[in-house]
Amino acid sequence: MSPEEISIIKSRIEAKHQGDNKQLEVIFSPDKRLLVEAPAGYGKTHTMVSRIAYLIAIGQIPVPKRLLALTFSVNAAYKIKKDVSKNIPELLDGFDKQINIKDKTYISNYHGFCRSVLKKYGHILHPALSKLDTLQSVDDSRSDNIMRTFKNISINDADVLSNYNSAVREIKGTYLRENINRYNSVVIAEILQKEAIPFNAIITLTIKLFQEYPSILSFYQNYYTTILVDEFQDTNLLSYWLLNYLISEKSNVLFLGDSLQRIYGFIGAVPNLLSRAQSYFKLKLISLDKNYRFASNENMLQLDKIIRQNAVTPFQNPSALSSKVEFNIYEDQVKEALEVVIKSQEIQRQYPTSKVAILAKQRGPNIEHIIKTFDHNKISFFYGLFTDDDPEYLQFNRKCLYEFIEFLKINTKVTKKLGRKHIDKIREIYVDKDSPVIKALLELLEIFWSRLFMDYSFLSNEDKINLIKDTFEHNGIKQYMEFLDTRIIISTVHAAKGLEWDYVILPDMEKDSFPNWFGLCSKCKCGADCNFVINNEIEKSFLEELSVYYVAVTRAKKQVYFSASNTQLTKNGTYEKNYSCFMRLPGIEFV
């Protein structure tokens, strides 16, 4: 483009970002390697899309080169794809009419990208990889499951697979590096020939190709001149290892993330990854500083700042921040449950079109009593109390994946008819199951197939296949809670990550509940007083639990409400509680 055309596009971008200097600094930065600290509600997606448009305009992605955009979450990847497809043509309207955004960008999650590599070159490693879409996914988390699935596999080989899976989750970098060849060898010799593939192997086999065939690696390094990673804090070691291969000395790099939203540590997200990457890849750090979500709500704006400040200076308030929050403490769980129900109904009456999420740290007697109170009062709600490590939730996603792949073996065209057949098959499998989790997941499956043809009709058939497989492989059906018609959603915080509702209620804000016993309270020496004092021994646990708290609070687009009770229900009766240390963060005032 000419300087005059670039100037016009810059003016459009500046108008779109309305004087947000930090966003504009990211978009127009001459630095080729950037790390953007982007909290929830700070305009990250708009900034990312405008940066891509600007790079295209100034010729940083010359034909036939591309920008590679990656993320951990399949849902996030396709939201980016949708935003890019819609908004970049608007910014570049009238210029370079020959530009096809699909020709300039490739947007996927890590596994989706690796699939594209294996479809092209995987046959070098094993002929089965040429038909990757129809290979069944293997749960390699337990040796006994592997041996039941593959009758002739030895216990030693089954252990190789399960131990490697555990090492990914437990972030054992040395073990992963030292055992990747052995892991890949078992996959190739024992699993691929049975027309199956483990989830982690999609990445490890891609790494094997890059290690053993430098020409293939060189092609991808030169083809993708710019590497963009969103939600960078959720990256696990295998994905980070993959990035280290893809990023060459010539690569432009843009990582976006928020260290305070890292809540996937239990499935392998690397701690302190943003600071590690900043040093290793020599990235310039820019922190977005305007919260647009709470711009008109000073108390929520201050609460956001208080939580973020405590990630840097735990239980200190050097900036003298102050937030008045609605926090009610009741004599017992029975009373709290009733008041939570009453509060949800008050919100519904005052704001009839609004949606309310009641978020719990985990399942247990307390949140179950709230559910019983909703049921007793015949108030409808959606049951979203499942997590990524919930066996029932995991099995449902795996069955969905298995049956979809079986359908692909008959017909590779993704149609509404295929979607209906898939839903009917899963309902048939669970015809005798009426647990709240299964009922909820069947409802989400219906929504998933409906939204596929509504929101992603622009995708090619191959992209639709990848989206469906990635969703089930990543246990991502929970992300479709955002499309529920139900006005009240009861969910775990982990299931709610990436989603938003108008109003959020956080009950059970008590010691041993939020934060819970396993996450922090068992490590704290303060006992029943809950007079929290940070020390080196518990700082890591505190920050991990604070991240979950921050994610919970920032699921609200308008307002969050807190409650607690002086006695908590347990399997053995009740016992007295003290309210959560998170409600004692300096600067929080109760109203």
Side-chain angles (χ1 to χ4, degrees), residues 278-296:
Q278 182 184 355
S279 174
Y280 183 79
F281 291 112
K282 298 179 175 60
L283 307 171
K284 178 183 177 180
L285 174 64
I286 302 175
S287 299
L288 302 185
D289 60 2
K290 288 186 180 180
N291 186 326
Y292 292 92
R293 179 178 299 170
F294 302 140
S296 60

Side-chain angles (χ1 to χ4, degrees), residues 145-182:
N145 286 341
I146 298 168
M147 295 182 72
R148 276 195 295 270
T149 304
F150 304 104
K151 302 299 183 183
N152 297 322
I153 194 169
S154 70
I155 181 63
N156 289 336
D157 286 344
D159 284 343
V160 168
L161 299 179
S162 63
N163 290 341
Y164 205 81
N165 182 293
S166 298
V168 173
R169 289 175 172 269
E170 295 166 14
I171 319 174
K172 295 180 178 179
T174 301
Y175 182 93
L176 293 176
R177 286 191 299 272
E178 291 178 350
N179 290 275
I180 187 171
N181 290 335
R182 190 179 177 199

Side-chain angles (χ1 to χ4, degrees), residues 323-327 329 579-580 583-584 588-591:
S323 175
K324 293 180 173 62
V325 303
E326 184 174 319
F327 179 40
I329 304 174
Y579 65 85
S580 168
M583 301 309 299
R584 302 170 187 266
I588 294 180
E589 302 174 24
F590 306 154
V591 296

Side-chain angles (χ1 to χ4, degrees), residues 445-468:
L445 182 62
E446 294 267 4
I447 292 172
F448 168 71
W449 276 105
S450 173
R451 302 304 299 195
L452 177 71
F453 295 102
M454 190 180 302
D455 293 344
Y456 301 113
S457 58
F458 64 91
L459 294 179
S460 67
N461 189 66
E462 182 179 3
D463 281 342
K464 286 189 178 81
I465 290 173
N466 289 337
L467 170 57
I468 296 165

